[in-house]
Amino acid sequence: MNKKNISMAVIRRLPKYYRYINELLKNNVDAVSSNKLSEDLGFTASQIRNDFNNFGYFGRQGYGYNVKQLHKEISMILGLIKNYNTIIIGAGNIGQAVANYTNFGQLGFKLKGIFDINPKLTDLVINDIRVRDIDLVEEFICNKDIDIAILCVPRAVAQKICDTLIKGGIKGIWNFTQVDLITPKGVTVENVDLSDSLLTLSCLM
Amino acid sequence: MNKKNISMAVIRRLPKYYRYINELLKNNVDAVSSNKLSEDLGFTASQIRNDFNNFGYFGRQGYGYNVKQLHKEISMILGLIKNYNTIIIGAGNIGQAVANYTNFGQLGFKLKGIFDINPKLTDLVINDIRVRDIDLVEEFICNKDIDIAILCVPRAVAQKICDTLIKGGIKGIWNFTQVDLITPKGVTVENVDLSDSLLTLSCLM
DNA sequence: TAGATTGTTAATCGATTAACAATC
DNA sequence: TAGATTGTTAATCGATTAACAATC
């Protein structure tokens, strides 16, 4: 269970595994083979076995993988055994959409606050949370033990606000802006690049 | 300029090139070298030259790449030399966020309609477009020459609506649902998987 | 011309696949 | 035991990097 350095290629597949195993768990399935997983997920059975062996040995020959155990292992590697306190920065369209997305709460990402520069928005209530002034964010992160900031602000202010978040002690940034944020070690950034995705679509068409 | 089969790895880098070259163009920069690109984009110069050579020879030794030409070539490969007519299916949070995102229009993706099942929403106007009843979508795609549908509906109805869109003659689907859509050849699907991205973040933290 | 930088090939690295002995 | 399926190694495939002759 002492996980080796897991490659990015594997990490990008983990959420797919997770979602599928989750379904199996709900349906009270006991075990699943790499072959069955291969059929349903579209990765090769060989790759799946290799992936799983990256983070431990819990298959049984002639039986497959125990669903409960698999679920536990993958949850662990994905970091889903704990809850994360999150805040949204920017109460515009994307910020509001994310705020209203209930799915994330189920996965353990708990929305604790929403912040915006625009003083007109600071009385808005989204998903039971009142929008706060951005000036309060640094203290909030510190006091409320916030792990992840979801950054949905205009490009122009992205890096400046990012710096503030880091001063507050944020550990992860889910970045919906198109800016390549500069962050110190220990702060993880995951970019959601909608334009990139749309351009890929038109390229493939 | 007869482009070879461009690998997925290259395609995923194209939007980054595009965005950067776009900036250079705006700033009236004449030429750029693979070295300069390497510094600013973080890919190796070698990789950049290889990437560009995938789709034509337009560099000049001792000078670099002509920005205008580069922009034209990349636009062509990304399919940005034409406009795309798009519709949004599902006027919930994500649908509305995408509808209000002006960036896409600038890239040539023209929003022509918004559709929803919920009859209560069919009087809503988003970004100057009135939400229509989903029953009208098949005819709309056909009559208005719609290329791309942006799918923002609940999981449960995703495949069913996808089938309708295909009957209408849609060619590309930008899929915000978490469903692996089944589509015939000739219909391109690009998935935006927000949960996957969020899980990757917590995994890396 | 001299300097810069490409185009291109060969070397390296990493990820995927195939194969099969081990074993439940 | 016989059948199924893993764990694991070796082979293959593809992508990245290094190097340098060609040439603007």
Side-chain angles (χ1 to χ4, degrees), chain B residues 30-49:
Chain B
D30 268 352
V32 64
S33 70
S34 56
N35 247 306
K36 170 73 175 148
L37 282 165
S38 170
E39 265 173 43
D40 290 356
L41 290 174
F43 311 135
T44 65
S46 204
Q47 181 167 60
I48 291 168
R49 290 203 297 281

Side-chain angles (χ1 to χ4, degrees), chain A residues 3-21:
Chain A
K3 46 179 162 178
K4 307 169 203 168
N5 249 9
I6 297 177
S7 80
M8 209 52 188
V10 177
I11 290 178
R12 293 284 167 195
R13 280 193 291 274
L14 286 178
K16 318 276 182 200
Y17 291 133
Y18 180 77
R19 217 183 309 152
Y20 185 83
I21 303 293

Side-chain angles (χ1 to χ4, degrees), chain B residues 88-160:
Chain B
I88 291 175
I89 319 293
N93 290 305
I94 294 185
Q96 292 195 28
V98 175
N100 281 304
Y101 212 67
T102 53
N103 231 350
F104 304 139
Q106 288 163 23
L107 291 169
F109 299 89
K110 306 299 182 190
L111 184 59
K112 297 295 181 178
I114 306 176
F115 295 83
D116 203 286
I117 304 185
N118 188 343
K120 280 182 196 160
L121 289 175
T122 48
D123 273 332
L124 189 65
V125 173
I126 305 167
N127 206 3
D128 287 340
I129 296 177
R130 194 173 56 76
V131 176
R132 289 181 174 81
D133 191 286
I134 187 75
D135 288 340
L136 305 170
V137 77
E138 195 179 328
E139 209 190 330
F140 191 91
I141 293 171
C142 203
N143 290 344
K144 301 284 172 107
D145 224 350
I146 303 299
D147 305 288
I148 294 173
I150 304 167
L151 197 59
C152 312
V153 300
R155 305 187 55 144
V157 295
Q159 184 63 57
K160 195 173 141 257

